[in-house]
Amino acid sequence: SAVISQKPSRDICQRGTSLTIQCQVDSQVTMMFWYRQQPGQSLTLIATANQGSEATYESGFVIDKFPISRPNLTFSTLTVSNMSPEDSSIYLCSVEKAVVDGYTFGSGTRLTVV
Amino acid sequence: QKEVEQNSGPLSVPEGAIASLNCTYSDRGSQSFFWYRQYSGKSPELIMSIYSNGDKEDGRFTAQLNKASQYVSLLIRDSQPSDSATYLCAVNSHYNQGGKLIFGQGTELSVKP
């Protein structure tokens, strides 16, 4: 299965600022997925990031708030823009290297907005 | 109706017992099914995947799939305290690489020594 390096692992940010989260995969993958896990909740898909095209956002998530870049087949970033305390969550990137391997997750970014 | 539903628990079982975790899904086109384990403060870890009706066993874990009933379950035999975690059911409607994974709300399992 793929190995994902995600950073930062955690951050405390002031409201109104932005944070960019990076995910680096050890092999080329077609799609990368960004999830949010709010405190005590399950994982909610934010968007699917394709190389060479705009990300596909799920209902309730918009590009202005969560811009995504996918410059190549091993790297993606998610920016959380104009943050408010409600954005305090764990953000996770995920890839599917092969169907039989399932989906692998990065170690997550624990974001606290104050 | 939620796309993927699980009993939130907590489910408490004594050490050595069988833990049974259940999940239902709404999309009949779903083709691949996963169980993830998530320890507190950690990211989800894949423990089982299943694609065909029936049972799939891996060590102490058995996944069961019934597509007609839109039901998938996970059995953990000889439960250990180290199995205490939240178990997430996830469903993918695209068998080929690249479909999105939808998660249930998770079931918290507690195994008492």
Side-chain angles (χ1 to χ4, degrees), chain B residues 4-54:
Chain B
V4 181
E5 292 203 58
Q6 299 178 246
N7 293 328
S8 59
L11 173 66
S12 182
V13 300
E15 184 175 356
I18 296 175
S20 177
L21 305 164
N22 304 314
C23 174
T24 59
Y25 59 94
S26 60
D27 182 1
R28 283 196 172 274
S30 300
Q31 295 182 335
S32 50
F33 307 86
F34 305 91
W35 283 98
Y36 284 83
R37 178 176 61 199
Q38 186 175 29
Y39 292 113
S40 180
K42 301 294 185 182
S43 62
E45 170 194 13
L46 180 68
I47 54 172
M48 287 290 287
S49 59
I50 186 166
Y51 309 102
S52 304
N53 280 327

Side-chain angles (χ1 to χ4, degrees), chain A residues 30-31 33 35 37 42-43 45 48 58 92 96-107 110, chain B residues 34 36 38 41-44 46 49 51 88 92 95-106:
Chain A
T30 303
M31 291 186 180
F33 304 92
Y35 285 85
Q37 188 170 30
S42 187
L43 282 75
L45 182 63
T48 302
E58 297 298 305
L92 296 135
E96 182 193 38
K97 179 61 177 175
V99 171
V100 293
D101 290 338
Y103 288 66
T104 303
F105 285 85
S107 54
R110 183 179 295 273
Chain B
F34 305 91
Y36 284 83
Q38 186 175 29
K42 301 294 185 182
S43 62
L46 180 68
S49 59
Y51 309 102
L88 300 164
N92 183 342
Y95 185 77
N96 294 320
Q97 186 175 2
K100 62 184 181 182
L101 207 55
I102 305 300
F103 284 83
Q105 67 268 42

Side-chain angles (χ1 to χ4, degrees), chain A:
Chain A
S1 61
V3 175
I4 304 174
S5 174
Q6 182 175 345
K7 58 182 180 181
S9 59
R10 59 179 64 230
D11 208 340
I12 300 173
C13 300
Q14 296 292 321
R15 68 176 67 201
T17 63
S18 298
L19 175 72
T20 295
I21 302 166
Q22 300 179 2
C23 271
Q24 178 75 52
V25 190
D26 68 342
S27 56
Q28 293 184 342
V29 291
T30 303
M31 291 186 180
M32 295 180 71
F33 304 92
W34 287 97
Y35 285 85
R36 180 176 73 182
Q37 188 170 30
Q38 294 177 303
Q41 303 296 313
S42 187
L43 282 75
T44 300
L45 182 63
I46 297 172
T48 302
N50 305 315
Q51 194 268 334
S53 64
E54 278 198 6
T56 303
Y57 288 83
E58 297 298 305
S59 176
F61 298 96
V62 295
I63 188 171
D64 290 346
K65 177 67 175 177
F66 297 101
I68 287 171
S69 77
R70 184 80 199 276
N72 57 53
L73 291 173
T74 64
F75 187 79
S76 179
T77 68
L78 169 76
T79 299
V80 186
S81 303
N82 188 25
M83 289 184 286
S84 67
E86 291 71 34
D87 294 320
S88 297
S89 290
I90 298 173
Y91 293 86
L92 296 135
C93 62
S94 175
V95 303
E96 182 193 38
K97 179 61 177 175
V99 171
V100 293
D101 290 338
Y103 288 66
T104 303
F105 285 85
S107 54
T109 298
R110 183 179 295 273
L111 171 62
T112 301
V113 183
V114 297

